[in-house]
Amino acid sequence: MPVPTPSAPARSVPEAVHRRRWAVLGVLMLSLLIVVLDNSILNVAVKTISTPAPTGLGSTQSELEWAINSYTLVFAGLLFASGLLGDRFGRKKSLLFGLVVFGTGSALAAFSGSPGELIAFRAVMGLGGAFVMPATLAVLMNVFERDEQPKAIGIWAGGVGLAIAIGPITGGVLLEHFWWGSIFLVNVPVVLLALGLMVWLVPESRDPAPGRIDVVGVLLSVLGLVLLVYGIIRGGEQASFTEAGVLVPVVAGLAVLTAFVLYEKRSDHPALDVSYFRKPVFSAAVAAIALVFFALMGVTFFSAFYLQSVRGYSALDSGLLLLPLALAQMVFAPRARLAVERFGARTVCATGMAAVALGLGAFAFFDADTPVWVLCLVFLVQGAGMAHIMPPVTVAIMQALPREKAGSGSAINNTFRQVGGALGVAVLGSVLSAVYRGEMESHLGALPAGVRTTAGESLEATLAVAEKLGADTLVAPAHQAFLDAMHVTAWASAGVAAVGAIVVAAFLPGRTAPPGTPPRPATDQQDHPQPAHR
């Protein structure tokens, strides 16, 4: 019987764990849902939180941005370190710790008495999320056999897409019936349920031979990522990457990360084995994740303003328009492995990237009267494209590493996604802002000198000044300037996604075996070297 031999890695998954693997995946999805959902749910509440008390906190634009960015900064900065700690001390422990911290931060954020408190408690939530996110994928890799991992990762990736889409919907529903803090408080019962199920169902796993802990490497990774992400965030806020306050942390972050890579290459107990990046498949998969989230998060950023400020939809309505994206993720992501088996990862991912580029480019043709069905179709195409990118590239990353290093692999996957997304919002947001300011300059001359700069910062700022001063003549030019800026940014987003398509087409593997199993000897010859090579 030649087939069971390659399946021998089943030895590392005990039978009792194997029987409850799908229940474990359900618990992991529940944990993943609240962490990812919280990344998008706050966006729909910014207007409410900016309202003076008792309705909101009276937050300024800068304070609102940091309420979002404090989470991102801590989350992205600690992802790699948390993955390493999970591998060393136990992924279940990492999950439990992360959920407790995340739930505590959520409860505190819900009852924040000032913008400063909200920013601080969001950072606490980011700390918890950094321990949850990589651990979910690491546990998945240790409860599923290699042949079932693509299917499980497809469901995992579909859950990420679902959470991104239902965040605005959930936020919209809560804000229509409760106070702004409910968008955080809703996490608490879900966390308690997840903790109970996790203690009961999820098995512990860790690296059986972690060796000495690479303290220097861990510290360098945290410092480098925090500096880089901080600089990116500042660049997005300033809509410029040439100011000292932006350049210094970005350059310092890149320098520290370069030192991290050089140190890891020379270390006899590296936190990250950088030799994995010499594998074209691994590097291409990592690059694809960063590029697709760069493009997608950038367009998600400006689509919220397009739907609410230009089209006039409510937060709930604009969230519901994202349902096609969520449904496409749910339907196609778990089935992406079937397409990979038939056509190969290269064709599937390149086609998915092309679909994302097409969807992003479509925004360049949107105006204030574009039919709703066209919007839904575009979001459907984007969701289908994402569903055929995320599972195959995640499988490529995770299966390139030994199972005992699953936490590190998951951390690399999530770190590049988070940094790519932050760059997308910052860089594409800067493009949007620059074009908008340029077009609005000629329309602001009649305003008092003290408010011209503020009014030209963004569409929201212009509309707020117009309402306050009764300058209704600014509304139509502001809408048109935003649409023009959105069109330029959409082309830039589509271009980045097209680069991603070229990268995966060049470096990801094609179809490695026929979809059926008739030529069994050839399959066996291909399969046998894999366990030996690993």
Side-chain angles (χ1 to χ4, degrees):
M1 297 286 288
V3 178
T5 306
S7 302
R11 61 191 177 276
S12 56
V13 180
E15 182 60 28
V17 174
H18 181 74
R19 283 199 302 267
R20 64 176 189 267
R21 64 196 185 283
W22 296 109
V24 171
L25 180 60
V27 180
L28 299 178
M29 294 293 290
L30 187 62
S31 306
L32 183 70
L33 184 69
I34 57 172
V35 173
V36 178
L37 182 147
D38 197 76
N39 271 320
S40 58
I41 197 171
L42 182 58
N43 291 329
V44 302
V46 290
K47 286 187 177 180
T48 306
I49 295 173
S50 65
T51 307
T55 304
L57 293 175
S59 302
T60 65
Q61 182 68 25
S62 176
E63 288 168 339
L64 285 173
E65 289 173 351
W66 274 108
I68 297 171
N69 293 334
S70 62
Y71 182 96
T72 303
L73 182 62
V74 176
F75 184 78
L78 293 178
L79 270 173
F80 181 69
S82 66
L84 290 173
L85 293 173
D87 281 344
R88 172 171 291 271
F89 298 111
R91 289 126 192 172
K92 180 176 181 177
K93 290 186 181 71
S94 182
L95 270 172
L96 293 172
F97 171 77
L99 280 174
V100 168
V101 173
F102 187 87
T104 302
S106 297
L108 292 171
F111 296 100
S112 299
S114 68
E117 287 184 6
L118 179 60
I119 292 169
F121 296 142
R122 286 279 296 166
V124 173
M125 294 171 68
L127 171 63
F131 278 84
V132 172
M133 190 77 171
T136 59
L137 191 52
V139 170
L140 180 156
M141 296 299 292
N142 280 271
V143 298
F144 284 91
E145 308 304 344
R146 189 175 180 87
D147 61 336
E148 281 190 321
Q149 286 170 0
K151 181 179 181 180
I153 288 174
I155 296 172
W156 181 90
V160 173
L162 174 65
I164 290 172
I166 68 171
I169 300 172
T170 306
V173 170
L174 290 170
L175 289 173
E176 283 197 357
H177 297 91
F178 305 101
W179 98 113
W180 65 266
S182 61
I183 65 171
F184 301 118
L185 197 61
V186 70
N187 293 332
V188 176
V190 182
V191 165
L192 293 174
L193 175 62
L195 284 170
L197 291 173
M198 198 170 292
V199 170
W200 176 34
L201 290 170
V202 176
E204 184 60 282
S205 63
R206 60 172 60 87
D207 185 346
R212 288 185 294 143
I213 188 166
D214 180 11
V215 177
V216 175
V218 170
L219 292 177
L220 286 174
S221 72
V222 172
L223 179 61
L225 285 170
V226 167
L227 284 170
L228 177 62
V229 174
Y230 175 79
I232 291 169
I233 289 171
R234 289 292 295 163
E237 287 179 346
Q238 302 295 325
S240 170
F241 282 83
T242 58
E243 296 183 9
V246 176
L247 275 177
V248 170
V250 167
V251 172
L254 291 174
V256 172
L257 289 175
T258 301
F260 166 71
V261 171
L262 294 174
Y263 180 82
E264 296 301 280
K265 287 176 70 175
R266 290 163 174 76
S267 174
D268 59 356
H269 56 288
L272 172 65
D273 187 349
V274 294
S275 65
Y276 288 119
F277 286 92
R278 295 186 190 133
K279 301 177 181 179
V281 172
F282 183 84
S283 294
V286 166
I289 289 217
L291 289 170
V292 75
F293 269 84
F294 180 100
L296 193 72
M297 293 306 290
V299 80
T300 301
F301 173 75
F302 66 68
S303 66
F305 293 104
Y306 167 70
L307 294 173
Q308 294 185 43
S309 298
V310 176
R311 300 297 296 258
Y313 294 123
S314 68
L316 178 57
D317 290 338
S318 60
L320 288 171
L321 282 171
L322 291 174
L323 273 178
L325 187 147
L327 291 174
Q329 289 268 2
M330 290 175 62
V331 171
F332 292 113
R335 294 169 175 79
R337 76 189 193 285
L338 302 176
V340 171
E341 289 170 4
R342 184 174 180 83
F343 302 107
R346 177 189 303 152
T347 300
V348 171
C349 289
T351 303
M353 277 287 197
V356 170
L358 183 66
L360 296 173
F363 275 86
F365 300 95
F366 286 1
D367 57 32
D369 302 312
T370 301
V372 171
W373 70 266
V374 175
L375 302 181
C376 292
L377 179 61
V378 167
F379 284 128
L380 184 69
V381 169
Q382 286 183 329
M386 285 285 292
H388 287 89
I389 299 166
M390 294 305 298
V393 296
T394 303
V395 168
I397 292 170
M398 297 305 294
Q399 290 194 343
L401 276 68
R403 182 175 294 200
E404 60 269 17
K405 301 295 183 184
S408 301
S410 178
I412 293 169
N413 175 58
N414 287 299
T415 298
F416 275 83
R417 182 176 65 190
Q418 197 69 24
V419 172
L423 264 173
V425 172
V427 175
L428 296 177
S430 298
V431 172
L432 183 79
S433 178
V435 177
Y436 179 81
R437 287 178 181 181
E439 291 213 10
M440 282 304 296
E441 219 170 291
S442 60
H443 298 281
L444 302 175
L447 293 179
V451 297
R452 281 180 206 160
T453 303
T454 303
E457 284 181 355
S458 66
L459 174 61
E460 288 294 308
T462 305
L463 295 179
V465 169
E467 183 179 359
K468 184 177 180 180
L469 300 179
D472 294 339
T473 55
L474 282 178
V475 174
H479 283 169
Q480 188 56 51
F482 179 84
L483 287 171
D484 292 342
M486 183 181 78
H487 295 162
V488 173
T489 311
W491 283 121
S493 303
V496 171
V499 170
I502 294 169
V503 168
V504 297
F507 296 107
L508 284 189
R511 191 175 66 175
T512 55
T517 52
R520 177 130 352 232
T523 304
D524 289 342
Q525 287 171 2
Q526 290 174 354
D527 284 347
H528 276 304
Q530 279 189 324
H533 179 70
R534 294 189 327 167

